[in-house]
Amino acid sequence: PGAGGGARAPATAAIERTMLGRVEQEEREEKERMIEKENKVKSGDSIVIPTSNPAPPLASSASIPSSAHTHPTPPPISTHYQQQQQQQQQQVLTQPPLVLACNTSTPNAWYVADDDDTKIRYFIFQGSTSLDHWEINLNFEPAIFEDPCLGVRVHGGMYRAAQELYKEILPLVQEHLQNVPDGKIGFTGHSLGGSLATVLTFLMITRGIASPDRITATYTFGAPAIFCLDEGSAAERRAAMRQKIREDRAAAAQGGLGKGEGGDGEGERE
């Protein structure tokens, strides 16, 4: 090229150096911002993510030809992804805890947790870990469950332990059922905790605290049986009741035939 081409060469080199300097400066500033954000996340401070990256001051238009403005420097590719990661991490750090309440004292340890998606409040009970727990396990003398008219006998030690737990968790049960119209409660546990979860499920229904449709399935893991079968078991009482019904029907049928011969038909209606 002629003299004109030689004159443009220094300007082009100056433009390249200026643009390269801008890129390096932006990268340094981006690294500094990321380090600052990470430090704030670790310390628990709130993070404000800027909506745009401030650009460094440009050289005067007199020293840079207009052709330089046709090639703007793009921001670093990883900036948007890093901002999304920081936002997600901050959301996790600010979420409320899942566990609402817990109790590690006797008769058994338990805790409560809410599932916001299903609107179920779960009550989880621990298995046997101490001598007090084994005292409950070995005190298996049958006890009448709630009302003798129900004809149900259960494990005595677990029934009494469940009655104590009932008093502790009742406010949490009522609060959830009242404040969440379509909410439910659920009970689960391992070993002794599973047996207590089963008894508590029946207590909530029998005492009218929660209808069966407000209680989700009760899950137990390695839980001992709680229902007792003995001489006065419900199965035997049902068998005796059926036998009594058959005898009453037979007697009524014989009486009906005798009255039916008289022509009044009252025996058949009876």
Side-chain angles (χ1 to χ4, degrees):
R8 286 195 300 269
T12 303
I15 293 172
E16 291 178 353
R17 288 194 298 273
T18 301
M19 299 301 291
L20 181 61
R22 287 183 56 189
V23 173
E24 293 177 350
Q25 183 177 356
E26 285 186 353
E27 291 179 351
R28 287 195 300 271
E29 291 178 352
E30 180 64 22
K31 289 181 181 179
E32 292 175 358
R33 284 196 295 271
M34 294 304 300
I35 293 173
E36 182 180 358
K37 293 173 187 175
E38 292 177 359
N39 293 335
K40 288 184 178 180
V41 171
K42 293 179 181 180
S43 62
D45 297 337
S46 59
I47 299 176
V48 179
I49 298 178
T51 56
S52 61
N53 295 325
L58 297 175
S60 64
S61 58
S63 61
I64 299 178
S66 59
S67 59
H69 298 286
T70 60
H71 303 284
T73 303
I77 298 177
S78 61
T79 301
H80 180 66
Y81 174 75
Q82 291 173 344
Q83 290 179 352
Q84 287 184 333
Q85 292 293 100
Q86 292 294 331
Q87 289 175 347
Q88 293 175 359
Q89 185 176 8
Q90 183 65 15
Q91 289 175 356
V92 172
L93 293 174
T94 57
Q95 286 180 351
L98 178 65
V99 178
L100 301 178
C102 63
N103 189 349
T104 58
S105 62
T106 56
N108 193 34
W110 56 269
Y111 71 90
V112 183
D114 279 353
D115 187 336
D116 294 334
D117 295 332
T118 61
K119 300 181 181 179
I120 299 175
R121 174 165 290 183
Y122 289 100
F123 294 82
I124 301 93
F125 300 93
Q126 187 185 35
S128 302
T129 59
S130 66
L131 292 177
D132 292 333
H133 295 157
W134 281 105
E135 183 178 356
I136 296 174
N137 291 328
L138 297 176
N139 190 4
F140 46 73
E141 185 69 22
I144 297 175
F145 179 77
E146 297 295 284
D147 189 344
C149 297
L150 297 175
V152 178
R153 296 184 182 222
V154 295
H155 188 291
M158 294 178 184
Y159 180 43
R160 285 183 284 273
Q163 287 178 310
E164 294 184 31
L165 291 172
Y166 173 87
K167 299 175 183 178
E168 295 181 5
I169 68 173
L170 181 59
L172 293 170
V173 172
Q174 293 175 325
E175 183 267 335
H176 183 68
L177 295 179
Q178 292 173 2
N179 295 341
V180 185
D182 54 345
K184 295 183 179 182
I185 57 174
F187 299 94
T188 185
H190 167 254
S191 186
L192 171 62
S195 299
L196 294 173
T198 304
V199 178
L200 284 165
T201 301
F202 285 104
L203 283 176
M204 295 296 168
I205 297 174
T206 305
R207 298 184 179 183
I209 302 301
S211 57
D213 62 316
R214 300 293 301 273
I215 302 180
T216 188
T218 299
Y219 292 94
T220 64
F221 304 88
I226 61 167
F227 294 105
C228 303
L229 295 177
D230 53 18
E231 295 181 355
S233 66
E236 293 182 354
R237 282 191 288 275
R238 285 196 296 269
M241 184 177 295
R242 286 194 294 267
Q243 180 63 28
K244 182 68 167 57
I245 291 174
R246 285 193 293 267
E247 294 175 356
D248 291 343
R249 287 178 177 174
Q254 292 178 357
L257 289 176
K259 294 182 180 181
E261 292 176 356
D264 58 5
E266 294 179 0
E268 186 177 355
R269 287 194 298 272
E270 292 177 356

